[in-house]
Amino acid sequence: MIRGILIGVLAVAIAGTAYWGYQEHQEKNAVLLNAENNYQRAFHNLTYRMDLLNDKIGTTLAMNSKSSLSPSLIEVWRLTSQAHSDVGQLPLTLLPFNKTEEFLANIGNFSYRTAARDLDKEPLSDQEYETLKSLYKQSGQIQSELRKVQHMVLKNNLRWMDVELALASGKENTDNTIIDGFKTVEKTVSGYEETAQGLSLTNLQKKDENYKKIKGKSITKQEAADIAKKYMKIDGNADVKVTKNGKGSDYGFYSVSVRNNKTGQEASMDITKKAGHPIWFMNNRPIDKQAISLNDANNKALAFLKETGFKDLETFESFQYDNVGVFNFVTTINGVRIYPESVKVKVALDNGDIVGVSAEDYLKSFQTRNLDKPTITLEDARKKVNPNLKVMEDRLAVVINDLNEEVLCYEFLGTMGEDTYRIFINAKTGMEEKVDKLKNAENMYEGVL
């Protein structure tokens, strides 16, 4: 009797376990099938969009009408954005595919920059037509290689989940049609000469990524550590770790982390190898009750910047968050604000310590500038501003426009209703280059954490 009951219970348990295992298997298969479907969709979309992209670039080459050319280039930009998105949905994170992504980004940047300008006043140059021809040829080669991969995927019913498994297990070097096909695509793109793409593409990256324009002698790792300790105001015992970055460059930066063994206080920063300027700095210390005013903190930030080699800066924004003052500074040359050269400084309002610095934009944009004189007058520029804006301040300023170019503008600061705006009018053409809405004070809601 008891034996029969035990056998029955055991049978039920085995059946339950089998059913549970079956359910788990089904759910796992459902997840894998969904992932496979998403990969297949992204891949076939990518192949289809490369077909459209190649056709659209070819169509653009044949156009002569300026009114047709600009919309066509915008369509090229849209297709490259979609293709770039498709690439991001494929399991290629472990497989180098950056050259192809960079190629798509370059096409998108070129088409957008060209379409955004007034083609009646500044038509495509011979060099830009050569660039388009080169892009057309190269996109056709990528299209051809992707079609070969697509043909093999459909013919042999290949699965993208096998690609993901091979990449995750480090077996991508084994025979895998999809991986081999994408490596061929990447190799094809890598073979393109930068000169064949034209200056219109390479000029997109104007920032000084290696801080080459910074003046001064190179510092050692020990000097970088000493600078970091000085920022933290640590005189005693501290653990300091310095990592050399910017491999392959004579410039670059050091990454430094510091821990005060006495207080446990920690800070980290990046410092340029040349002249030892702070790229960014963060001091993670607790901040007590406010004891100094925002104005005093601003003066301490300005004094700090002057001591560390930043010149000709003025405050253009200031905020207070809890017991921290945040200040944005820009270079000023003869009264003209140079907005690309900006530095952000955080000051503790308990004792005025500098607890944060972000100077990357300043260091990468810094250069000796010869500013042109405005072509239009301040009064003419003001007529281009929305008449509903109540202007409170005006000045000259240099900003980066949508084409990633520095332009001299008249800046108008004003209010419209409850909102405050900065409006930039091109000092040569009178075009409205930028409109920035300044942040309003945050509302406080009781009971909301």
Side-chain angles (χ1 to χ4, degrees), residues 232-243:
M232 278 189 69
K233 296 186 177 180
I234 295 177
D235 296 324
N237 186 25
D239 290 331
V240 182
K241 295 181 180 179
V242 182
T243 304

Side-chain angles (χ1 to χ4, degrees), residues 50-63:
M50 283 304 303
D51 287 345
L52 294 180
L53 180 61
N54 181 251
D55 290 343
K56 181 54 69 174
I57 296 175
T59 302
T60 304
L61 276 171
M63 288 181 177

Side-chain angles (χ1 to χ4, degrees), residues 103-140:
F103 175 74
L104 290 172
N106 281 340
I107 296 179
N109 287 331
F110 172 80
S111 57
Y112 178 80
R113 282 167 54 90
T114 308
R117 75 177 190 236
D118 188 340
L119 292 174
D120 286 322
K121 294 181 179 179
E122 192 180 352
L124 287 181
S125 65
D126 291 340
Q127 184 182 29
E128 286 172 325
Y129 270 113
E130 289 301 316
T131 296
L132 267 179
K133 288 179 183 178
S134 176
L135 294 176
Y136 178 58
K137 178 182 178 181
Q138 294 163 7
S139 63

Side-chain angles (χ1 to χ4, degrees), residues 346-402:
K346 293 183 179 181
V347 181
L349 297 180
D350 55 357
N351 63 1
D353 280 350
I354 306 300
V355 293
V357 175
S358 178
E360 184 174 16
D361 287 341
Y362 178 96
L363 295 170
K364 288 185 176 181
S365 300
F366 177 79
Q367 58 182 287
T368 301
R369 289 178 171 82
N370 295 314
L371 299 177
D372 296 330
K373 291 184 178 181
T375 303
I376 64 174
T377 65
L378 174 64
E379 290 72 24
D380 289 336
R382 192 160 184 161
K383 293 176 183 177
K384 304 290 184 179
V385 176
N386 189 318
N388 296 317
L389 186 81
K390 184 179 178 181
V391 177
M392 299 181 295
E393 296 179 16
D394 57 66
R395 62 175 60 84
L396 283 170
V398 172
V399 298
I400 301 292
N401 65 9
D402 290 339

Side-chain angles (χ1 to χ4, degrees), residues 138-341:
Q138 294 163 7
S139 63
Q141 291 174 319
I142 294 176
Q143 173 195 38
S144 176
E145 294 299 335
L146 284 175
R147 279 184 174 179
K148 291 177 184 177
V149 179
Q150 185 182 47
H151 172 72
M152 295 303 296
V153 167
L154 295 173
K155 179 183 177 181
N156 300 317
N157 196 26
L158 301 176
R159 299 194 319 155
W160 278 91
M161 293 306 298
D162 294 335
V163 176
E164 186 171 47
L165 181 62
L167 292 172
S169 62
K171 297 180 180 179
E172 66 270 20
N173 291 325
T174 59
D175 184 22
N176 187 298
T177 302
I178 295 178
I179 292 178
D180 293 342
F182 271 82
K183 283 183 176 180
T184 302
V185 173
E186 183 75 352
K187 185 177 180 180
T188 300
V189 179
S190 299
Y192 301 149
E193 293 291 338
E194 187 180 80
T195 52
Q197 297 181 4
L199 294 177
S200 297
L201 296 182
T202 56
N203 282 350
L204 290 174
Q205 301 167 341
K206 292 183 177 180
K207 284 191 175 181
D208 176 17
E209 298 298 333
N210 286 318
Y211 314 108
K212 294 180 181 178
K213 294 176 183 176
I214 297 174
K215 296 180 180 179
K217 67 175 185 178
S218 297
I219 64 170
T220 64
K221 281 189 174 183
Q222 183 57 52
E223 288 173 321
D226 293 339
I227 291 171
K229 290 171 70 175
K230 181 181 178 181
Y231 271 69
M232 278 189 69
K233 296 186 177 180
I234 295 177
D235 296 324
N237 186 25
D239 290 331
V240 182
K241 295 181 180 179
V242 182
T243 304
K244 185 178 180 180
N245 289 307
K247 187 177 180 181
S249 168
D250 293 332
Y251 303 94
F253 57 92
Y254 293 106
S255 290
V256 186
S257 60
V258 183
R259 186 180 187 278
N260 189 329
N261 292 326
K262 183 178 179 180
T263 64
Q265 179 183 343
E266 296 181 350
S268 55
M269 69 184 302
D270 284 350
I271 306 171
T272 60
K273 293 179 185 176
K274 204 170 185 181
H277 290 302
I279 301 170
W280 65 267
F281 166 72
M282 184 63 66
N283 189 342
N284 300 310
R285 75 163 177 82
I287 299 173
D288 297 327
K289 186 178 178 180
Q290 181 175 349
I292 66 172
S293 68
L294 201 62
N295 184 62
D296 289 339
N298 179 72
N299 291 334
K300 287 182 179 293
L302 276 171
F304 161 80
L305 290 172
K306 189 175 181 180
E307 290 172 5
T308 50
F310 295 97
K311 299 177 181 179
D312 303 320
L313 293 175
E314 72 171 32
T315 311
F316 79 95
E317 280 184 328
S318 62
F319 309 94
Q320 181 173 342
Y321 298 102
D322 295 328
N323 295 324
V324 176
V326 181
F327 306 93
N328 287 329
F329 301 90
V330 291
T331 297
T332 303
I333 301 175
N334 297 326
V336 181
R337 285 183 176 176
I338 314 297
Y339 279 107
E341 293 183 12

Side-chain angles (χ1 to χ4, degrees), residues 10-22:
L10 183 60
V12 170
I14 292 174
T17 302
Y19 179 74
W20 175 80
Y22 174 76

